[in-house]
Amino acid sequence: MKRTLFYCCMLLCAALSAYAQDDAMVKSIQQRFGIYTERALQEKMYVHLDRPLYLIGETIWFKAYNLNAASHQFLDVSKVAYLEVLDAENNVLIQTKFALADGKGNGSLLIPSTIASGNYKVRCYTNWMKNYGPEYFFESSISIVNPFVRFDPDRLAKEAEKYDVQFFPEGGYLVKGIESKVGFRAIGKDGNGVNFTGEIVNSQNESIAKFQPEKNGIGFFALKPEPGATYNAVIKDSKGQSYTFPLPKTEEQGYVMQLKDSTSSLLKITVTAAVVSDEPVPVYLMSHTRQHNVLADKKYLKNNKAVFTLEKSQLGEGISHITIFNEKLKPLCERLYFKRPSKQLAIEATIKNAFVTREKVNMDISAAVASAAVASASEMSNLSVAIYLTDSIVTQSQTDITSHLWLSSDLKGSVESPEYYFANVNADTDRQLDNLMLTHGWRRFKWENVFVSQAAPFEFLPEFDGHFIQGKVVNKSDGAPAKGIDTYLAALDVPARLYVSQSDQKGNVMYEVRKFNGPKEITLQTNLNVDSTYRIEIASPFVKQFATRPVAPFVFSKTWENQLLNRTINMQTANVFLPPVLTERKATLADSVAFFGVPDEKYFLDDFTRFPTMEEVLREYVRGVLVRKRQKEFHFRLVDKLLPNTFYTTDPLILLDGIPVFNTDKIMEMDPLKVKKVEVLSSRYFLGPMTFTGIVSFSTYRNDLAGYELDPKVTVMPYEGLQVQREFYSPRYDKGNAESRIPDFRNLLHWAPNITTDASGKANLDFYTSDQTGHYQVVIQGITPSGVSGSRTLSFNVGKSSL
């Protein structure tokens, strides 16, 4: 009988589900969200920093993993990333741009001596990620110590204790007469959870409920608001001090949702409403996991209640957003649910427990994908490895890649000890994890942008082929933006590269520069023959908006003094005796192809008899350039190579070391002995929105303009391109040089940002210990091409050599 009843219920549920799937609005929700998802590709960044503590003068080494937020697979869209170091007030201290390739990139930052001791934030993002706000950027904390400046206690450490207690009714609202589960989170001035005891009191100061946090200041209580009542929470901290905080306002009408595990395989979502209507009231449910695994359903309120069931197997792994809508697709309630990932990257490393100074270390690494249901399988994982000295200075550890990808990166606020929720998985950690979901709730989009007939364009484009330099053309007289103005950007580079852009309605210009590495001196100008009343202002590519995640106060301990003295000596010794090795781009031949391709004519002037004037050189040797003089001004005319005997009636684009020159007379005044070669392109050339009737390019011997003075109306400014990659210097003592008297006091023994395991999941790493004895930590982070991540931490000791 029970079995028959069970089957009947299952058939009824299946019939109702089929009916819901046939509903036009349900289909519309799924289709519209699918269209939005196709446009709104999400990037997710994780950055592995080489260590948590630095001294000024040391180098921060980092590895960036740029992934598809939905699948956690490497995403080869953005080719440029931005990394910044910020203080507690979000003042920018260090900035850099670095290249990404196939979703991976690495680089380094030298910490300047002007930075004071304290805790700082490192954040990283791409141009495309700017569309979704700074809360979506990668952030991690580091500690920096300046031993040469007297330590000023952190401003937060000197402030009086204060708390921030927030309340989160399940689904979003408190509604009179409906019992709600109310999550809460209490944090101190350092952003970490605090312990306390508390009670809920009404307007008559009567105690309604008692509560206290379970983990990291987070917990929940149940509350059924009475009509017209207001509520406050009174908490008492460990020192006996009391604080009062108001609860959210109670709504007269509205909806409340409740999520529960119905069975081990089903979720039960109950929607209770306080609404007045003579007609059946429909409500719609939509669930998605990082904008994928979209599920939708429809129910009618019966006795002001509707119940949805979701199969857990249909939900994606990680955080799912479950949203309730009305018939106008206005969101009513929302709740987060976490489904643990079934797979993890099991990383193992084999290494001895003890070494002596300047000894070779061999470490065998293995990485295999493991799950509860399937045996381990090997993939060619991509790993980054850091080996550094740990000492008595206490620092915050960096979030590992797994807890960041599955948890921290998908929540707007900060998550204290995210690795806790993935260790020792049991009923208690599952409950704490659901409490965490209850106290967070956000999305990287606004629903009004999803359910629209015509989507608004994204403000920031992905830097798919190179870095974007953006600016604005303004009138010099009044600063008003100028539209429809042709602009030119160039740098003294080999081979020559020219970038052009025409200003839009708001005066904005954008140049997509390729292979733009290292510090440059760029020139910006309009066509000075046509207009000279405009100037070009270049905008910073770095974001000026910041997330509201607090920085923990930095507390200095007197017991660190000897350790800091030792590290300071080691840092200065390393900077003197261990030179950095730069892996710069290979030298480019002087006659490499410029941006316009292979020229039709090329003349190396040293191959000819030298003439004293440029006019004679062009008339005698350069056949493709016809020199004309009109109204005492020189002009060049070219013959179209595709249409013989057809002369262009306008001047070609004239370049000097890649810089556009619009005054032909000044070119003619140049000393021809300073010019190495002349190249001519004898056809129309299309570059962006512009068309040129040929190109005449002059190159000096050193590509430095050879003393030529640019027009004063040309803006010349320094601009930092993508950083030139540095190779981590790790000395080797395998050639009889172990007795070298050059000191080696490296605290960071090794940094390997890009290790790829073979088909069997194996890799090997070898390096040498330094003269610095102590306890060393090995941190390995990694991910597979299929998006399975993992990390491993182990340690070893280094003692004095007996030799």
Side-chain angles (χ1 to χ4, degrees):
M1 182 66 182
K2 290 183 179 179
R3 182 176 298 179
T4 303
L5 182 62
F6 173 77
Y7 285 136
C8 289
C9 291
M10 291 297 291
L11 289 172
L12 179 61
C13 290
L16 292 174
S17 177
Y19 168 77
Q21 294 303 316
D22 292 335
D23 185 83
M25 184 62 80
V26 171
K27 289 183 177 179
S28 176
I29 290 173
Q30 293 174 318
Q31 290 172 354
R32 293 193 203 182
F33 192 76
I35 292 171
Y36 175 82
T37 299
E38 289 179 359
R39 293 183 64 251
L41 176 70
Q42 299 281 338
E43 289 181 316
K44 184 180 288 189
M45 184 79 73
Y46 176 75
V47 178
H48 179 191
L49 302 173
D50 62 311
R51 46 194 159 158
L53 173 72
Y54 302 89
L55 265 63
I56 60 166
E58 291 184 334
T59 298
I60 300 174
W61 299 88
F62 59 86
K63 161 71 175 290
Y65 297 80
N66 192 35
L67 310 170
N68 185 322
S71 64
H72 294 167
Q73 297 175 342
F74 287 111
L75 191 60
D76 190 26
V77 173
S78 295
K79 299 298 191 299
V80 180
Y82 303 86
L83 188 136
E84 301 175 286
V85 178
L86 314 173
D87 66 11
E89 284 77 34
N90 290 321
N91 297 308
V92 179
L93 305 178
I94 320 174
Q95 294 176 324
T96 189
K97 317 174 191 78
F98 63 96
L100 294 173
D102 300 321
K104 298 178 282 290
N106 61 86
S108 59
L109 282 175
L110 181 65
I111 301 176
S113 60
T114 54
I115 293 183
S117 298
N119 287 336
Y120 297 87
K121 287 190 291 188
V122 175
R123 72 171 182 172
C124 189
Y125 53 92
T126 66
N127 199 59
W128 179 250
M129 289 167 66
K130 296 176 187 177
N131 291 299
Y132 305 99
E135 293 85 0
Y136 184 41
F137 300 166
F138 170 84
E139 281 194 8
S140 183
S141 63
I142 60 172
S143 300
I144 298 177
V145 177
N146 186 338
F148 304 105
V149 177
R150 182 180 177 84
F151 175 68
D152 182 22
D154 194 293
R155 175 184 57 82
L156 289 176
K158 293 185 288 186
E159 289 182 356
E161 188 63 70
K162 61 180 180 180
Y163 304 106
D164 178 23
V165 183
Q166 296 178 312
F167 299 92
F168 306 89
E170 187 171 21
Y173 301 98
L174 286 175
V175 181
K176 72 173 185 178
I178 303 177
E179 185 173 86
S180 291
K181 184 178 181 180
V182 182
F184 62 87
R185 186 187 184 200
I187 59 174
K189 61 185 179 180
D190 59 356
N192 291 329
V194 294
N195 198 18
F196 63 88
T197 57
E199 62 178 345
I200 305 299
V201 298
N202 60 17
S203 54
Q204 286 78 40
N205 208 32
E206 297 171 335
S207 179
I208 304 299
K210 296 184 182 296
F211 65 100
Q212 65 182 71
E214 295 188 56
K215 177 74 176 178
N216 298 332
I218 298 173
F220 73 91
F221 57 86
L223 179 66
K224 186 176 182 180
E226 298 294 331
T230 59
Y231 299 95
N232 289 314
V234 180
I235 71 168
K236 185 177 291 186
D237 65 10
S238 58
K239 298 178 181 178
Q241 295 290 324
S242 295
Y243 303 84
T244 301
F245 300 89
L247 262 63
K249 176 186 174 184
T250 299
E251 304 292 335
E252 290 294 315
Q253 295 188 32
Y255 295 78
V256 171
M257 72 182 294
Q258 183 185 59
L259 182 147
K260 284 186 177 181
D261 285 313
S262 177
T263 66
S264 60
S265 60
L266 291 177
L267 280 182
K268 179 181 177 182
I269 298 99
T270 304
V271 179
T272 308
V275 294
V276 178
S277 175
D278 295 330
E279 300 293 330
V281 178
V283 288
Y284 296 87
L285 176 145
M286 195 196 82
S287 168
H288 70 93
T289 309
R290 299 185 302 279
Q291 300 184 197
H292 285 68
N293 299 87
V294 181
L295 303 173
D297 200 357
K298 174 185 178 180
K299 299 287 184 182
Y300 285 96
L301 292 174
K302 186 176 181 180
N303 297 326
N304 285 339
K305 189 169 289 189
V307 179
F308 296 88
T309 56
L310 290 179
E311 292 186 23
K312 295 180 183 179
S313 61
Q314 293 182 307
L315 299 175
E317 295 179 341
I319 296 176
S320 292
H321 289 71
I322 302 172
T323 310
I324 304 297
F325 299 91
N326 64 12
E327 71 280 2
K328 296 180 180 179
L329 294 185
K330 177 184 177 182
L332 305 173
C333 302
E334 186 164 275
R335 175 73 148 85
L336 302 185
Y337 177 78
F338 189 87
K339 179 180 176 180
R340 291 190 178 277
S342 59
K343 298 179 181 179
Q344 62 178 350
L345 184 62
I347 300 175
E348 297 295 336
T350 304
I351 190 172
K352 292 196 307 182
N353 292 327
F355 298 88
V356 297
T357 56
R358 301 197 180 188
E359 182 181 353
K360 185 175 183 178
V361 179
N362 273 300
M363 184 165 64
D364 293 319
I365 302 172
S366 64
V369 176
S371 68
V374 183
S376 297
S378 298
E379 282 192 64
M380 296 179 66
S381 307
N382 188 269
L383 310 172
S384 49
V385 182
I387 301 102
Y388 58 90
L389 178 69
T390 58
D391 46 36
S392 59
I393 303 176
V394 180
T395 58
Q396 294 180 321
S397 59
Q398 186 185 7
T399 302
D400 67 83
I401 188 170
T402 298
S403 56
H404 174 79
L405 295 181
W406 291 109
L407 200 59
S408 304
S409 61
D410 286 331
L411 298 175
K412 185 175 182 179
S414 58
V415 180
E416 184 179 352
S417 305
E419 62 281 353
Y420 159 80
Y421 300 99
F422 294 87
N424 301 318
V425 176
N426 52 40
D428 183 63
T429 53
D430 285 345
R431 187 178 70 256
Q432 306 302 342
L433 187 54
D434 192 62
N435 288 345
L436 182 70
M437 296 298 102
L438 192 62
T439 57
H440 286 79
W442 82 299
R443 62 189 77 85
R444 297 191 189 98
F445 52 84
K446 296 180 180 179
W447 284 114
E448 55 267 29
N449 296 334
V450 176
F451 300 130
V452 292
S453 56
Q454 186 173 0
F458 289 102
E459 182 180 357
F460 301 99
L461 299 175
E463 292 177 307
F464 182 74
D465 202 26
H467 172 51
F468 291 147
I469 298 179
Q470 301 185 69
K472 178 174 284 190
V473 182
V474 298
N475 197 305
K476 291 181 180 178
S477 59
D478 58 6
K483 66 176 182 178
I485 305 298
D486 292 341
T487 63
Y488 305 81
L489 181 149
L492 294 174
D493 211 347
V494 180
R497 295 188 182 93
L498 174 66
Y499 307 96
V500 300
S501 180
Q502 190 176 80
S503 59
D504 63 14
Q505 294 290 328
K506 297 181 180 179
N508 297 321
V509 290
M510 183 171 69
Y511 313 91
E512 186 179 33
V513 298
R514 301 175 180 88
K515 299 180 180 179
F516 205 76
N517 300 325
K520 306 281 186 185
E521 194 170 66
I522 61 174
T523 63
L524 296 153
Q525 58 185 310
T526 59
N527 188 333
L528 300 180
N529 283 338
V530 177
D531 52 68
S532 58
T533 60
Y534 305 104
R535 72 172 184 270
I536 306 171
E537 300 174 346
I538 294 298
S540 169
F542 295 94
V543 175
K544 293 182 175 60
Q545 291 78 39
F546 306 94
T548 55
R549 300 184 183 98
V551 176
F554 182 75
V555 181
F556 183 83
S557 172
K558 287 286 187 181
T559 60
W560 297 351
E561 289 184 349
N562 291 335
Q563 190 65 50
L564 282 176
L565 177 62
N566 185 46
R567 287 196 62 162
T568 303
I569 295 172
N570 294 346
M571 176 269 294
Q572 295 180 83
T573 305
N575 286 344
V576 171
F577 290 100
L578 300 179
V581 178
L582 295 180
T583 306
E584 300 191 25
R585 58 194 175 116
K586 296 180 180 179
T588 310
L589 297 177
D591 61 342
S592 295
V593 176
F595 70 92
F596 49 82
V598 179
D600 298 311
E601 301 174 27
K602 183 188 295 186
Y603 302 90
F604 287 92
L605 300 190
D606 286 340
D607 295 342
F608 303 89
T609 302
R610 286 292 196 169
F611 286 98
T613 66
M614 188 65 73
E615 181 178 1
E616 290 177 286
V617 169
L618 294 174
R619 291 187 185 276
E620 293 296 330
Y621 299 145
V622 185
R623 293 173 299 171
V625 178
L626 305 178
V627 180
R628 298 289 185 263
K629 198 168 188 179
R630 185 183 306 145
Q631 296 179 349
K632 298 183 180 181
E633 292 182 350
F634 282 103
H635 295 273
F636 292 166
R637 294 292 182 266
L638 271 61
V639 178
D640 191 332
K641 70 173 182 178
L642 302 177
L643 299 172
N645 301 320
T646 301
F647 291 82
Y648 293 125
T649 58
T650 56
D651 285 283
L653 173 67
I654 301 174
L655 302 173
L656 176 61
D657 290 335
I659 310 296
V661 176
F662 297 100
N663 190 335
T664 310
D665 290 348
K666 293 193 69 175
I667 287 290
M668 300 300 281
E669 293 171 2
M670 279 192 68
D671 183 354
L673 295 178
K674 295 180 179 180
V675 177
K676 179 181 180 180
K677 68 176 177 179
V678 179
E679 296 171 294
V680 181
L681 186 71
S682 302
S683 61
R684 289 187 183 275
Y685 186 79
F686 300 90
L687 182 63
M690 302 182 195
T691 304
F692 306 109
T693 53
I695 297 176
V696 181
S697 176
F698 298 85
S699 300
T700 63
Y701 285 90
R702 296 184 179 179
N703 288 91
D704 60 356
L705 300 180
Y708 177 88
E709 292 187 6
L710 294 172
D711 192 297
K713 301 181 186 68
V714 177
T715 300
V716 181
M717 62 177 291
Y719 193 89
E720 192 74 30
L722 306 188
Q723 67 169 246
V724 177
Q725 225 173 60
R726 299 174 63 195
E727 180 182 331
F728 179 76
Y729 180 74
S730 181
R732 303 189 68 84
Y733 300 111
D734 54 355
K735 296 181 180 179
N737 58 342
E739 301 301 319
S740 170
R741 298 182 63 185
I742 297 177
D744 178 5
F745 292 137
R746 289 170 294 132
N747 294 311
L748 179 64
L749 280 190
H750 200 67
W751 167 248
N754 201 24
I755 294 178
T756 302
T757 61
D758 59 22
S760 62
K762 307 291 184 181
N764 179 266
L765 186 66
D766 65 83
F767 54 92
Y768 285 81
T769 60
S770 66
D771 297 335
Q772 180 67 44
T773 60
H775 187 73
Y776 286 83
Q777 186 153 299
V778 180
V779 178
I780 307 173
Q781 308 280 2
I783 195 167
T784 69
S786 62
V788 182
S789 60
S791 62
R792 183 79 167 91
T793 301
L794 58 151
S795 61
F796 60 87
N797 294 305
V798 175
K800 285 285 187 182
S801 173
S802 58
L803 298 179

